[in-house]
Amino acid sequence: MNTELPPAAPELLPIVELPGVFADALLRDERGGLLFCSLWGRDTAIQELLARLSVPVEEGGLRSLHVEGPQGTETVHFDRMPTTDKLSGRLPPKNLFGNLVQLWLYDRLAVEPDRANRRALLLQRNATHGEAALWHLVRSVTHLPLLDHWNEVVLDVFRQNDWIRPLRGIQVDAVFVDLGSDAVEVEISRLVREGRLTLDTDQPASLRQAA
């Protein structure tokens, strides 16, 4: 008999500025800027939100929202609208809640890395993504020819330098990858010179994991 309980449904969090619109997932950068949010509301309320995000503040536009989160009010800033995409879907017409729409607003980095600036965002569900997905993203962003058996050493060093850093949100987490610094190439060259990165796939673990 399976006694494992099903996962709890995400809590719907009210939006202060838009009565009737709720968030069930939210992710921001270190400055509070929007990276991802999932919103629910009736069609008219969602259309009002989209309209207010597209007009100047002096005309009633919005450049930030306040979400009543489990730890208090969370402010999310819409300061990168040119790089923000949207996707929406509707519940079937015959449902208990009426004309309900789900809207996703997300930074384009979540679906398409910025290879020119070597930046990317890996969305996660409660930090459940493995290292393989992160390593694949790092290799796709960097201009350096990284070998697969370097992954442990390289990811550790990138984390130490904050070129890879975790972001915690509500019902969604992420890893932000920023390899635009010239120091990235300098660091990889140093690891090669020290023998911590070699062509040998069977290099000793003591070399791969040396401090």
Side-chain angles (χ1 to χ4, degrees), residues 18-49:
L18 294 164
V21 177
F22 301 86
D24 64 354
L26 174 65
L27 180 70
R28 301 168 298 164
D29 62 21
E30 295 91 342
R31 301 185 309 277
L34 173 74
L35 292 176
F36 176 88
C37 68
S38 170
L39 301 168
W40 292 86
R42 297 192 181 279
D43 181 64
T44 52
I46 294 296
Q47 293 304 320
E48 177 188 349
L49 168 61

Side-chain angles (χ1 to χ4, degrees), residues 8 22 27 34 37 39 58 70 77-78 80 82 90 94-95 110 131 153 160 187-188 191-192:
F22 301 86
L27 180 70
L34 173 74
C37 68
L39 301 168
E58 57 269 20
H77 300 292
F78 294 88
R80 291 196 301 272
R90 298 174 184 271
K94 294 181 179 180
N95 69 82
E131 295 288 270
V153 173
Q160 292 167 16
E187 193 71 2
I188 293 296
L191 294 172
V192 171

Side-chain angles (χ1 to χ4, degrees), residues 3 7 14 31 34 58 64 71 75 87 101 120 122 140 151 160 166 170 174-175 189 209:
T3 59
R31 301 185 309 277
L34 173 74
E58 57 269 20
S64 64
Q71 305 300 323
T75 302
L87 182 66
V101 174
L122 178 63
S140 72
N151 62 336
Q160 292 167 16
I170 299 173
V175 176
S189 297
Q209 300 174 2

